[in-house]
Amino acid sequence: SAIFNFQSLLTVILLLICTCAYIRSLAPSFLDRNKTGLLGIFWKCARIGERKSPYVAVCCIVMAFSILFV
């Protein structure tokens, strides 16, 4: 059902980016060995979370405000 609701889809994508960046900070070799293929999506999400962290943080705050108060 998150695929059909745009707000839910954005929430899932933000959570995926944040989770992958957190996992990569704990165990970098776990995501670095899967840079290609289907599991490469998690490596790419971790890179987005690392390089665009201020933007991701702002998006998380806006999404939390949207979920709680709208």
Short mmCIF file of all heavy atoms in Angstrom, two decimals:
data_model
loop_
_atom_site.label_atom_id
_atom_site.label_comp_id
_atom_site.label_asym_id
_atom_site.label_seq_id
_atom_site.Cartn_x
_atom_site.Cartn_y
_atom_site.Cartn_z
N SER A 1 0.82 -1.21 0.00
CA SER A 1 0.00 0.00 0.00
C SER A 1 0.86 1.26 0.00
O SER A 1 0.38 2.32 -0.35
CB SER A 1 -0.93 -0.01 1.20
OG SER A 1 -0.19 0.13 2.39
N ALA A 2 2.14 1.16 0.38
CA ALA A 2 3.02 2.33 0.37
C ALA A 2 3.38 2.73 -1.05
O ALA A 2 3.77 3.88 -1.28
CB ALA A 2 4.28 2.05 1.17
N ILE A 3 3.22 1.84 -1.99
CA ILE A 3 3.55 2.17 -3.38
C ILE A 3 2.51 3.12 -3.97
O ILE A 3 2.84 3.99 -4.77
CB ILE A 3 3.64 0.88 -4.22
CG1 ILE A 3 4.79 0.02 -3.71
CG2 ILE A 3 3.81 1.18 -5.69
CD1 ILE A 3 4.86 -1.34 -4.34
N PHE A 4 1.27 2.98 -3.56
CA PHE A 4 0.20 3.77 -4.15
C PHE A 4 -0.03 5.10 -3.46
O PHE A 4 -0.68 5.97 -4.01
CB PHE A 4 -1.09 2.95 -4.15
CG PHE A 4 -0.96 1.67 -4.93
CD1 PHE A 4 -1.03 0.45 -4.29
CD2 PHE A 4 -0.73 1.70 -6.28
CE1 PHE A 4 -0.90 -0.72 -5.00
CE2 PHE A 4 -0.59 0.52 -7.01
CZ PHE A 4 -0.68 -0.69 -6.36
N ASN A 5 0.48 5.28 -2.27
CA ASN A 5 0.34 6.53 -1.54
C ASN A 5 1.69 7.24 -1.58
O ASN A 5 2.70 6.73 -1.08
CB ASN A 5 -0.07 6.24 -0.09
CG ASN A 5 -0.39 7.49 0.67
OD1 ASN A 5 -0.19 8.60 0.19
ND2 ASN A 5 -0.86 7.31 1.89
N PHE A 6 1.73 8.44 -2.17
CA PHE A 6 3.00 9.14 -2.39
C PHE A 6 3.69 9.48 -1.08
O PHE A 6 4.90 9.34 -0.97
CB PHE A 6 2.75 10.41 -3.22
CG PHE A 6 4.00 11.10 -3.62
CD1 PHE A 6 4.87 10.51 -4.52
CD2 PHE A 6 4.32 12.33 -3.09
CE1 PHE A 6 6.04 11.15 -4.90
CE2 PHE A 6 5.49 12.98 -3.46
CZ PHE A 6 6.35 12.38 -4.37
N GLN A 7 2.95 9.92 -0.08
CA GLN A 7 3.56 10.27 1.21
C GLN A 7 4.17 9.04 1.88
O GLN A 7 5.26 9.10 2.42
CB GLN A 7 2.54 10.92 2.12
CG GLN A 7 3.13 11.36 3.44
CD GLN A 7 2.11 12.05 4.32
OE1 GLN A 7 0.95 12.16 3.97
NE2 GLN A 7 2.54 12.50 5.48
N SER A 8 3.49 7.92 1.80
CA SER A 8 4.03 6.69 2.38
C SER A 8 5.26 6.21 1.62
O SER A 8 6.22 5.73 2.23
CB SER A 8 2.97 5.59 2.37
OG SER A 8 1.88 5.96 3.17
N LEU A 9 5.25 6.38 0.31
CA LEU A 9 6.41 6.00 -0.49
C LEU A 9 7.62 6.85 -0.12
O LEU A 9 8.72 6.33 0.05
CB LEU A 9 6.09 6.15 -1.97
CG LEU A 9 7.21 5.80 -2.94
CD1 LEU A 9 7.55 4.32 -2.84
CD2 LEU A 9 6.82 6.17 -4.35
N LEU A 10 7.44 8.15 0.05
CA LEU A 10 8.53 9.02 0.47
C LEU A 10 9.05 8.65 1.85
O LEU A 10 10.25 8.70 2.10
CB LEU A 10 8.09 10.48 0.44
CG LEU A 10 7.93 11.11 -0.93
CD1 LEU A 10 7.44 12.54 -0.79
CD2 LEU A 10 9.20 11.06 -1.72
N THR A 11 8.15 8.30 2.74
CA THR A 11 8.55 7.88 4.09
C THR A 11 9.41 6.62 4.03
O THR A 11 10.44 6.52 4.70
CB THR A 11 7.31 7.64 4.96
OG1 THR A 11 6.52 8.82 4.97
CG2 THR A 11 7.70 7.28 6.38
N VAL A 12 9.00 5.66 3.24
CA VAL A 12 9.75 4.41 3.11
C VAL A 12 11.13 4.68 2.51
O VAL A 12 12.14 4.13 2.96
CB VAL A 12 8.96 3.39 2.26
CG1 VAL A 12 9.82 2.20 1.88
CG2 VAL A 12 7.72 2.93 3.01
N ILE A 13 11.20 5.55 1.51
CA ILE A 13 12.49 5.87 0.88
C ILE A 13 13.41 6.57 1.87
O ILE A 13 14.60 6.26 1.97
CB ILE A 13 12.27 6.69 -0.39
CG1 ILE A 13 11.63 5.84 -1.47
CG2 ILE A 13 13.58 7.29 -0.89
CD1 ILE A 13 11.18 6.59 -2.69
N LEU A 14 12.89 7.52 2.63
CA LEU A 14 13.70 8.22 3.64
C LEU A 14 14.19 7.26 4.72
O LEU A 14 15.35 7.33 5.13
CB LEU A 14 12.91 9.35 4.28
CG LEU A 14 12.85 10.65 3.49
CD1 LEU A 14 11.89 11.62 4.16
CD2 LEU A 14 14.21 11.26 3.35
N LEU A 15 13.33 6.37 5.17
CA LEU A 15 13.75 5.39 6.16
C LEU A 15 14.80 4.44 5.61
O LEU A 15 15.74 4.06 6.31
CB LEU A 15 12.55 4.60 6.67
CG LEU A 15 11.60 5.34 7.61
CD1 LEU A 15 10.37 4.50 7.89
CD2 LEU A 15 12.31 5.70 8.89
N LEU A 16 14.68 4.06 4.34
CA LEU A 16 15.68 3.20 3.70
C LEU A 16 17.02 3.90 3.62
O LEU A 16 18.06 3.31 3.93
CB LEU A 16 15.20 2.79 2.31
CG LEU A 16 16.13 1.89 1.52
CD1 LEU A 16 16.22 0.52 2.17
CD2 LEU A 16 15.66 1.78 0.09
N ILE A 17 17.03 5.17 3.22
CA ILE A 17 18.27 5.93 3.12
C ILE A 17 18.93 6.06 4.49
O ILE A 17 20.14 5.83 4.64
CB ILE A 17 18.01 7.31 2.49
CG1 ILE A 17 17.68 7.16 1.00
CG2 ILE A 17 19.21 8.23 2.67
CD1 ILE A 17 17.19 8.42 0.35
N CYS A 18 18.15 6.42 5.49
CA CYS A 18 18.71 6.60 6.84
C CYS A 18 19.22 5.27 7.42
O CYS A 18 20.28 5.23 8.05
CB CYS A 18 17.67 7.21 7.77
SG CYS A 18 17.22 8.90 7.32
N THR A 19 18.49 4.20 7.20
CA THR A 19 18.89 2.90 7.72
C THR A 19 20.17 2.41 7.05
O THR A 19 21.08 1.90 7.73
CB THR A 19 17.76 1.87 7.53
OG1 THR A 19 16.58 2.36 8.16
CG2 THR A 19 18.14 0.52 8.09
N CYS A 20 20.26 2.56 5.74
CA CYS A 20 21.46 2.12 5.03
C CYS A 20 22.68 2.93 5.44
O CYS A 20 23.77 2.37 5.60
CB CYS A 20 21.24 2.21 3.52
SG CYS A 20 20.09 0.99 2.89
N ALA A 21 22.51 4.23 5.63
CA ALA A 21 23.64 5.07 6.07
C ALA A 21 24.08 4.67 7.47
O ALA A 21 25.29 4.63 7.77
CB ALA A 21 23.26 6.53 6.02
N TYR A 22 23.14 4.34 8.33
CA TYR A 22 23.48 3.92 9.69
C TYR A 22 24.20 2.57 9.69
O TYR A 22 25.21 2.39 10.39
CB TYR A 22 22.21 3.85 10.55
CG TYR A 22 22.47 3.42 11.96
CD1 TYR A 22 23.11 4.27 12.85
CD2 TYR A 22 22.10 2.17 12.41
CE1 TYR A 22 23.36 3.89 14.15
CE2 TYR A 22 22.34 1.77 13.71
CZ TYR A 22 22.96 2.65 14.58
OH TYR A 22 23.21 2.24 15.87
N ILE A 23 23.71 1.64 8.89
CA ILE A 23 24.35 0.32 8.82
C ILE A 23 25.76 0.46 8.25
O ILE A 23 26.69 -0.19 8.73
CB ILE A 23 23.50 -0.65 7.96
CG1 ILE A 23 22.23 -1.02 8.73
CG2 ILE A 23 24.28 -1.90 7.60
CD1 ILE A 23 21.24 -1.82 7.93
N ARG A 24 25.93 1.33 7.26
CA ARG A 24 27.27 1.51 6.69
C ARG A 24 28.22 2.16 7.68
O ARG A 24 29.41 1.89 7.66
CB ARG A 24 27.21 2.34 5.41
CG ARG A 24 28.54 2.32 4.68
CD ARG A 24 28.43 2.92 3.31
NE ARG A 24 29.65 2.71 2.55
CZ ARG A 24 30.77 3.40 2.74
NH1 ARG A 24 30.83 4.33 3.67
NH2 ARG A 24 31.85 3.15 2.02
N SER A 25 27.71 2.99 8.57
CA SER A 25 28.59 3.59 9.57
C SER A 25 29.04 2.55 10.60
O SER A 25 30.13 2.66 11.15
CB SER A 25 27.90 4.76 10.27
OG SER A 25 26.86 4.30 11.12
N LEU A 26 28.22 1.55 10.84
CA LEU A 26 28.59 0.49 11.79
C LEU A 26 29.47 -0.58 11.16
O LEU A 26 30.44 -1.02 11.78
CB LEU A 26 27.32 -0.16 12.36
CG LEU A 26 26.45 0.70 13.26
CD1 LEU A 26 25.24 -0.09 13.71
CD2 LEU A 26 27.23 1.20 14.46
N ALA A 27 29.11 -1.01 9.97
CA ALA A 27 29.84 -2.09 9.29
C ALA A 27 29.99 -1.74 7.82
O ALA A 27 29.18 -2.16 6.99
CB ALA A 27 29.09 -3.41 9.45
N PRO A 28 31.02 -0.96 7.47
CA PRO A 28 31.16 -0.52 6.08
C PRO A 28 31.39 -1.67 5.08
O PRO A 28 30.94 -1.61 3.95
CB PRO A 28 32.38 0.40 6.10
CG PRO A 28 32.75 0.60 7.50
CD PRO A 28 32.02 -0.39 8.33
N SER A 29 32.05 -2.71 5.50
CA SER A 29 32.35 -3.81 4.58
C SER A 29 31.09 -4.57 4.19
O SER A 29 31.04 -5.20 3.13
CB SER A 29 33.35 -4.76 5.20
OG SER A 29 32.81 -5.36 6.36
N PHE A 30 30.06 -4.51 5.01
CA PHE A 30 28.82 -5.23 4.73
C PHE A 30 28.14 -4.69 3.47
O PHE A 30 27.64 -5.45 2.65
CB PHE A 30 27.88 -5.14 5.94
CG PHE A 30 26.60 -5.89 5.75
CD1 PHE A 30 26.58 -7.26 5.74
CD2 PHE A 30 25.40 -5.21 5.60
CE1 PHE A 30 25.40 -7.95 5.57
CE2 PHE A 30 24.21 -5.89 5.43
CZ PHE A 30 24.21 -7.26 5.41
N LEU A 31 28.10 -3.38 3.30
CA LEU A 31 27.47 -2.79 2.13
C LEU A 31 28.44 -2.56 0.98
O LEU A 31 28.03 -2.52 -0.18
CB LEU A 31 26.80 -1.46 2.50
CG LEU A 31 25.53 -1.56 3.35
CD1 LEU A 31 25.03 -0.18 3.72
CD2 LEU A 31 24.45 -2.33 2.63
N ASP A 32 29.73 -2.41 1.28
CA ASP A 32 30.70 -2.12 0.23
C ASP A 32 30.96 -3.31 -0.70
O ASP A 32 31.36 -3.12 -1.83
CB ASP A 32 32.02 -1.65 0.83
CG ASP A 32 31.92 -0.24 1.35
OD1 ASP A 32 30.96 0.46 1.00
OD2 ASP A 32 32.81 0.16 2.14
N ARG A 33 30.73 -4.51 -0.23
CA ARG A 33 30.98 -5.67 -1.10
C ARG A 33 29.85 -5.90 -2.10
O ARG A 33 29.99 -6.68 -3.02
CB ARG A 33 31.22 -6.92 -0.26
CG ARG A 33 30.04 -7.34 0.55
CD ARG A 33 30.33 -8.57 1.36
NE ARG A 33 29.32 -8.68 2.41
CZ ARG A 33 29.47 -9.32 3.51
NH1 ARG A 33 30.60 -9.94 3.76
NH2 ARG A 33 28.52 -9.37 4.41
N ASN A 34 28.72 -5.22 -1.93
CA ASN A 34 27.58 -5.37 -2.84
C ASN A 34 27.29 -4.04 -3.54
O ASN A 34 26.24 -3.44 -3.36
CB ASN A 34 26.34 -5.81 -2.06
CG ASN A 34 26.52 -7.16 -1.42
OD1 ASN A 34 27.05 -8.07 -2.03
ND2 ASN A 34 26.09 -7.28 -0.18
N LYS A 35 28.22 -3.58 -4.37
CA LYS A 35 28.04 -2.31 -5.04
C LYS A 35 27.24 -2.44 -6.33
O LYS A 35 26.74 -1.45 -6.85
CB LYS A 35 29.39 -1.66 -5.35
CG LYS A 35 30.13 -1.22 -4.12
CD LYS A 35 31.42 -0.53 -4.48
CE LYS A 35 32.15 -0.10 -3.23
NZ LYS A 35 33.42 0.56 -3.55
N THR A 36 27.10 -3.63 -6.86
CA THR A 36 26.37 -3.84 -8.10
C THR A 36 25.25 -4.85 -7.85
O THR A 36 25.23 -5.54 -6.84
CB THR A 36 27.29 -4.37 -9.21
OG1 THR A 36 27.87 -5.60 -8.78
CG2 THR A 36 28.39 -3.36 -9.53
N GLY A 37 24.34 -4.91 -8.78
CA GLY A 37 23.24 -5.86 -8.68
C GLY A 37 22.10 -5.33 -7.84
O GLY A 37 21.98 -4.12 -7.57
N LEU A 38 21.26 -6.24 -7.43
CA LEU A 38 20.08 -5.86 -6.67
C LEU A 38 20.43 -5.29 -5.30
O LEU A 38 19.82 -4.33 -4.83
CB LEU A 38 19.15 -7.07 -6.51
CG LEU A 38 17.81 -6.80 -5.85
CD1 LEU A 38 16.99 -5.83 -6.69
CD2 LEU A 38 17.04 -8.08 -5.64
N LEU A 39 21.43 -5.86 -4.65
CA LEU A 39 21.84 -5.35 -3.34
C LEU A 39 22.62 -4.05 -3.43
O LEU A 39 22.87 -3.40 -2.42
CB LEU A 39 22.68 -6.41 -2.61
CG LEU A 39 21.92 -7.69 -2.24
CD1 LEU A 39 22.86 -8.69 -1.60
CD2 LEU A 39 20.76 -7.38 -1.32
N GLY A 40 22.99 -3.65 -4.65
CA GLY A 40 23.66 -2.37 -4.84
C GLY A 40 22.76 -1.18 -4.54
O GLY A 40 23.24 -0.08 -4.30
N ILE A 41 21.46 -1.41 -4.51
CA ILE A 41 20.51 -0.35 -4.16
C ILE A 41 20.77 0.13 -2.74
O ILE A 41 20.72 1.33 -2.46
CB ILE A 41 19.06 -0.86 -4.32
CG1 ILE A 41 18.78 -1.14 -5.79
CG2 ILE A 41 18.06 0.15 -3.75
CD1 ILE A 41 17.47 -1.86 -6.03
N PHE A 42 21.09 -0.80 -1.84
CA PHE A 42 21.34 -0.42 -0.45
C PHE A 42 22.64 0.38 -0.33
O PHE A 42 22.72 1.32 0.45
CB PHE A 42 21.39 -1.66 0.44
CG PHE A 42 20.10 -2.44 0.42
CD1 PHE A 42 20.07 -3.74 -0.02
CD2 PHE A 42 18.92 -1.85 0.83
CE1 PHE A 42 18.89 -4.45 -0.05
CE2 PHE A 42 17.72 -2.55 0.80
CZ PHE A 42 17.71 -3.85 0.36
N TRP A 43 23.65 0.02 -1.13
CA TRP A 43 24.90 0.77 -1.13
C TRP A 43 24.66 2.19 -1.66
O TRP A 43 25.18 3.16 -1.11
CB TRP A 43 25.94 0.05 -1.99
CG TRP A 43 27.24 0.78 -2.07
CD1 TRP A 43 28.21 0.81 -1.12
CD2 TRP A 43 27.70 1.61 -3.13
NE1 TRP A 43 29.25 1.61 -1.53
CE2 TRP A 43 28.96 2.10 -2.77
CE3 TRP A 43 27.17 1.97 -4.37
CZ2 TRP A 43 29.70 2.94 -3.60
CZ3 TRP A 43 27.90 2.80 -5.19
CH2 TRP A 43 29.15 3.27 -4.80
N LYS A 44 23.85 2.31 -2.70
CA LYS A 44 23.54 3.62 -3.26
C LYS A 44 22.75 4.48 -2.27
O LYS A 44 22.98 5.68 -2.15
CB LYS A 44 22.77 3.47 -4.57
CG LYS A 44 23.61 2.91 -5.68
CD LYS A 44 22.80 2.64 -6.92
CE LYS A 44 23.66 1.94 -7.94
NZ LYS A 44 22.90 1.49 -9.10
N CYS A 45 21.83 3.86 -1.56
CA CYS A 45 21.08 4.60 -0.53
C CYS A 45 22.01 5.07 0.58
O CYS A 45 21.85 6.17 1.11
CB CYS A 45 19.96 3.73 0.03
SG CYS A 45 18.59 3.48 -1.09
N ALA A 46 22.97 4.24 0.95
CA ALA A 46 23.93 4.64 1.98
C ALA A 46 24.78 5.81 1.51
O ALA A 46 25.07 6.73 2.28
CB ALA A 46 24.82 3.45 2.36
N ARG A 47 25.18 5.81 0.25
CA ARG A 47 25.97 6.93 -0.30
C ARG A 47 25.15 8.21 -0.32
O ARG A 47 25.66 9.29 -0.03
CB ARG A 47 26.45 6.59 -1.72
CG ARG A 47 27.40 5.44 -1.77
CD ARG A 47 28.66 5.70 -1.02
NE ARG A 47 29.48 6.63 -1.79
CZ ARG A 47 30.64 7.08 -1.41
NH1 ARG A 47 31.13 6.71 -0.24
NH2 ARG A 47 31.32 7.91 -2.14
N ILE A 48 23.88 8.11 -0.68
CA ILE A 48 23.01 9.29 -0.65
C ILE A 48 22.90 9.81 0.77
O ILE A 48 22.97 11.02 1.01
CB ILE A 48 21.62 8.95 -1.23
CG1 ILE A 48 21.72 8.68 -2.72
CG2 ILE A 48 20.63 10.07 -0.95
CD1 ILE A 48 20.46 8.11 -3.33
N GLY A 49 22.72 8.92 1.73
CA GLY A 49 22.60 9.32 3.13
C GLY A 49 23.86 9.98 3.66
O GLY A 49 23.81 10.86 4.51
N GLU A 50 25.02 9.53 3.17
CA GLU A 50 26.29 10.11 3.63
C GLU A 50 26.56 11.45 2.98
O GLU A 50 26.94 12.41 3.64
CB GLU A 50 27.45 9.16 3.31
CG GLU A 50 27.43 7.90 4.10
CD GLU A 50 28.45 6.91 3.56
OE1 GLU A 50 29.06 7.18 2.51
OE2 GLU A 50 28.62 5.86 4.19
N ARG A 51 26.39 11.54 1.69
CA ARG A 51 26.77 12.75 0.96
C ARG A 51 25.74 13.86 1.06
O ARG A 51 26.08 15.03 1.03
CB ARG A 51 27.02 12.41 -0.51
CG ARG A 51 28.22 11.55 -0.67
CD ARG A 51 28.51 11.32 -2.11
NE ARG A 51 29.73 10.52 -2.22
CZ ARG A 51 30.51 10.56 -3.27
NH1 ARG A 51 30.21 11.33 -4.29
NH2 ARG A 51 31.59 9.83 -3.31
N LYS A 52 24.49 13.52 1.15
CA LYS A 52 23.42 14.51 1.22
C LYS A 52 22.76 14.54 2.59
O LYS A 52 21.58 14.79 2.71
CB LYS A 52 22.35 14.20 0.15
CG LYS A 52 22.86 14.12 -1.25
CD LYS A 52 23.24 15.50 -1.76
CE LYS A 52 23.65 15.40 -3.22
NZ LYS A 52 24.15 16.64 -3.72
N SER A 53 23.53 14.30 3.62
CA SER A 53 22.96 14.16 4.96
C SER A 53 22.21 15.40 5.45
O SER A 53 21.17 15.25 6.11
CB SER A 53 24.02 13.74 5.96
OG SER A 53 25.06 14.68 6.01
N PRO A 54 22.64 16.64 5.18
CA PRO A 54 21.82 17.78 5.63
C PRO A 54 20.45 17.81 4.95
O PRO A 54 19.44 18.08 5.61
CB PRO A 54 22.64 19.01 5.25
CG PRO A 54 24.03 18.53 5.07
CD PRO A 54 23.92 17.10 4.63
N TYR A 55 20.43 17.49 3.67
CA TYR A 55 19.15 17.49 2.95
C TYR A 55 18.26 16.34 3.42
O TYR A 55 17.04 16.51 3.55
CB TYR A 55 19.39 17.38 1.44
CG TYR A 55 20.19 18.53 0.89
CD1 TYR A 55 21.47 18.33 0.41
CD2 TYR A 55 19.66 19.81 0.86
CE1 TYR A 55 22.21 19.39 -0.09
CE2 TYR A 55 20.39 20.87 0.36
CZ TYR A 55 21.66 20.66 -0.12
OH TYR A 55 22.40 21.69 -0.61
N VAL A 56 18.84 15.19 3.66
CA VAL A 56 18.08 14.05 4.15
C VAL A 56 17.52 14.35 5.54
O VAL A 56 16.37 14.03 5.85
CB VAL A 56 18.94 12.77 4.16
CG1 VAL A 56 18.23 11.63 4.85
CG2 VAL A 56 19.32 12.38 2.74
N ALA A 57 18.32 15.01 6.39
CA ALA A 57 17.85 15.36 7.73
C ALA A 57 16.68 16.34 7.67
O ALA A 57 15.70 16.18 8.40
CB ALA A 57 19.00 15.96 8.54
N VAL A 58 16.78 17.32 6.79
CA VAL A 58 15.67 18.28 6.64
C VAL A 58 14.42 17.58 6.12
O VAL A 58 13.31 17.82 6.60
CB VAL A 58 16.09 19.44 5.71
CG1 VAL A 58 14.90 20.27 5.31
CG2 VAL A 58 17.13 20.30 6.38
N CYS A 59 14.60 16.67 5.16
CA CYS A 59 13.46 15.91 4.65
C CYS A 59 12.83 15.04 5.73
O CYS A 59 11.60 14.91 5.78
CB CYS A 59 13.89 15.05 3.47
SG CYS A 59 14.24 15.97 1.98
N CYS A 60 13.64 14.46 6.60
CA CYS A 60 13.11 13.64 7.70
C CYS A 60 12.31 14.50 8.68
O CYS A 60 11.24 14.08 9.15
CB CYS A 60 14.23 12.92 8.43
SG CYS A 60 14.93 11.55 7.52
N ILE A 61 12.80 15.69 8.97
CA ILE A 61 12.09 16.58 9.89
C ILE A 61 10.77 17.03 9.28
O ILE A 61 9.73 17.03 9.95
CB ILE A 61 12.98 17.78 10.26
CG1 ILE A 61 14.13 17.31 11.14
CG2 ILE A 61 12.18 18.87 10.97
CD1 ILE A 61 15.21 18.35 11.36
N VAL A 62 10.80 17.39 8.00
CA VAL A 62 9.57 17.81 7.32
C VAL A 62 8.58 16.66 7.26
O VAL A 62 7.37 16.84 7.49
CB VAL A 62 9.89 18.35 5.92
CG1 VAL A 62 8.65 18.54 5.09
CG2 VAL A 62 10.67 19.66 6.02
N MET A 63 9.06 15.46 6.97
CA MET A 63 8.18 14.30 6.90
C MET A 63 7.59 13.97 8.27
O MET A 63 6.40 13.65 8.38
CB MET A 63 8.94 13.09 6.36
CG MET A 63 8.07 11.89 6.10
SD MET A 63 6.74 12.15 4.92
CE MET A 63 7.66 12.42 3.44
N ALA A 64 8.38 14.09 9.32
CA ALA A 64 7.86 13.84 10.66
C ALA A 64 6.79 14.86 11.02
O ALA A 64 5.74 14.51 11.58
CB ALA A 64 8.99 13.88 11.68
N PHE A 65 7.04 16.12 10.72
CA PHE A 65 6.04 17.16 10.98
C PHE A 65 4.77 16.88 10.18
O PHE A 65 3.67 17.01 10.71
CB PHE A 65 6.60 18.53 10.59
CG PHE A 65 5.63 19.65 10.81
CD1 PHE A 65 5.46 20.18 12.08
CD2 PHE A 65 4.92 20.17 9.75
CE1 PHE A 65 4.55 21.21 12.29
CE2 PHE A 65 4.01 21.21 9.95
CZ PHE A 65 3.83 21.73 11.22
N SER A 66 4.93 16.47 8.94
CA SER A 66 3.77 16.17 8.09
C SER A 66 2.97 15.00 8.63
O SER A 66 1.74 15.03 8.64
CB SER A 66 4.27 15.87 6.68
OG SER A 66 3.23 15.38 5.88
N ILE A 67 3.65 13.97 9.08
CA ILE A 67 2.95 12.80 9.60
C ILE A 67 2.25 13.10 10.92
O ILE A 67 1.12 12.67 11.16
CB ILE A 67 3.92 11.61 9.75
CG1 ILE A 67 4.33 11.11 8.37
CG2 ILE A 67 3.30 10.48 10.56
CD1 ILE A 67 5.42 10.07 8.41
N LEU A 68 2.91 13.87 11.79
CA LEU A 68 2.34 14.13 13.11
C LEU A 68 1.21 15.16 13.11
O LEU A 68 0.25 15.03 13.86
CB LEU A 68 3.46 14.59 14.06
CG LEU A 68 4.46 13.53 14.46
CD1 LEU A 68 5.57 14.16 15.28
CD2 LEU A 68 3.79 12.42 15.23
N PHE A 69 1.34 16.19 12.29
CA PHE A 69 0.41 17.30 12.43
C PHE A 69 -0.51 17.55 11.23
O PHE A 69 -1.40 18.37 11.31
CB PHE A 69 1.20 18.59 12.70
CG PHE A 69 1.98 18.52 13.97
CD1 PHE A 69 3.37 18.52 13.93
CD2 PHE A 69 1.36 18.43 15.20
CE1 PHE A 69 4.11 18.46 15.10
CE2 PHE A 69 2.09 18.36 16.36
CZ PHE A 69 3.46 18.38 16.31
N VAL A 70 -0.31 16.83 10.13
CA VAL A 70 -1.17 17.06 8.97
C VAL A 70 -2.06 15.87 8.75
O VAL A 70 -1.81 14.79 9.03
CB VAL A 70 -0.32 17.35 7.71
CG1 VAL A 70 -1.20 17.44 6.48
CG2 VAL A 70 0.46 18.62 7.89
#
